[in-house]
Amino acid sequence: QSVLTQPPSVSAAPGQKVTISCSGSSSNIGNNYVSWYQQLPGTAPKLLIYEDHKRPSGIPARFSGSKSGTSATLGITGLQTGDEADYYCGAWDSSLSGGVFGGGTKLTVL
Amino acid sequence: DVQLVESGGGLVQPGGSLRLSCAASGFTFSRYDMHWVRQATGEGLEWVSAIATAGDTYYPASVKGRFTISRENAKNSLHLQMNSLRAGDTAVYYCARGVPGGFDIWGQGTMVTVSS
């Protein structure tokens, strides 16, 4: 049972937009930054979004992050088959004094 | 290039010990918090430990008292001493560089298998 809650799967057609939600509480998302990671099969996770909405250099603007209260959202526009991957949200939890992740969302580009 | 390379994984019996290492290059290691994150096969990510630049350490309840994170800034190295290992500790272990609100650099991972 993950501290952060994500939908197990989402899907959309190439070229379309998809959003992935991440729900937490005041001890994590509500008062700490959220980050998002993409994990392609057989590879290490890759940072997509940090500090709720910032993109590291090299991450396309098709990827965006937002946060409201105790929930965060990852948006991906102009979907490509190469975007098929598992996506995880993460945050620091002040009550646990540790990092927490969502259970992951598998994106299928139909 | 900024890089993290883990080593030390392998097969260990339940109750045994293992020491993982992570070699950092391409950045000033001492200026960053560092973390270990693990992933069991087919499962999600689980944060395992953190060590701050000042040396403060943090662990989840699942490994507290069994795992010890440490760093050697002079050698640009991060370590994870794992004792009293259980089958549930079987996973790929990643070291990751911490930045505000996330982990920006990840190693390729090292596999730890706890089995008799």
Side-chain angles (χ1 to χ4, degrees):
Chain A
Q1 189 80 359
S2 301
V3 174
L4 305 181
T5 301
Q6 297 179 234
S9 63
V10 295
S11 62
Q16 296 301 304
K17 174 183 178 178
V18 71
T19 60
I20 298 173
S21 61
C22 177
S23 178
S25 67
S26 59
S27 65
N28 41 67
I29 293 177
N31 284 284
N32 293 294
Y33 288 125
V34 176
S35 53
W36 289 91
Y37 305 87
Q38 177 193 61
Q39 188 175 33
L40 298 170
T43 69
K46 176 183 178 181
L47 180 66
L48 288 178
I49 299 290
Y50 68 104
E51 292 185 15
D52 299 340
H53 63 89
K54 296 180 179 179
R55 283 178 289 107
S57 61
I59 301 300
R62 302 189 297 110
F63 296 89
S64 64
S66 64
K67 187 174 84 173
S68 178
T70 59
S71 293
T73 301
L74 173 70
I76 311 173
T77 60
L79 278 172
Q80 303 172 2
T81 55
D83 295 332
E84 285 202 335
D86 294 323
Y87 292 83
Y88 295 89
C89 59
W92 187 259
D93 191 295
S94 302
S95 295
L96 298 174
S97 291
V100 291
F101 289 100
T105 299
K106 183 176 183 61
L107 168 63
T108 300
V109 181
L110 302 169
Chain B
D1 280 0
V2 175
Q3 195 174 12
L4 297 171
V5 178
E6 301 94 338
S7 61
L11 175 64
V12 61
Q13 293 187 339
S17 298
L18 210 56
R19 187 183 193 230
L20 306 183
S21 294
C22 173
S25 59
F27 65 98
T28 305
F29 179 74
S30 61
R31 294 184 182 175
Y32 290 86
D33 297 343
M34 296 297 296
H35 302 256
W36 289 96
V37 177
R38 69 185 180 184
Q39 185 173 36
T41 301
E43 302 296 324
L45 302 174
E46 180 186 11
W47 173 79
V48 172
S49 62
I51 185 165
T53 55
D56 301 346
T57 58
Y58 305 85
Y59 306 93
S62 58
V63 308
K64 196 168 188 177
R66 301 188 299 122
F67 290 11
T68 302
I69 189 173
S70 62
R71 64 192 301 161
E72 292 184 84
N73 289 337
K75 295 185 178 181
N76 294 328
S77 294
L78 178 72
H79 305 288
L80 184 67
Q81 177 67 42
M82 304 185 295
N83 299 329
S84 303
L85 283 162
R86 310 164 178 167
D89 296 318
T90 295
V92 174
Y93 285 72
Y94 297 100
C95 67
R97 188 174 79 171
V99 292
F103 315 104
D104 68 338
I105 304 296
W106 297 66
Q108 85 287 352
T110 187
M111 183 70 203
V112 172
T113 302
V114 184
S115 175
S116 54

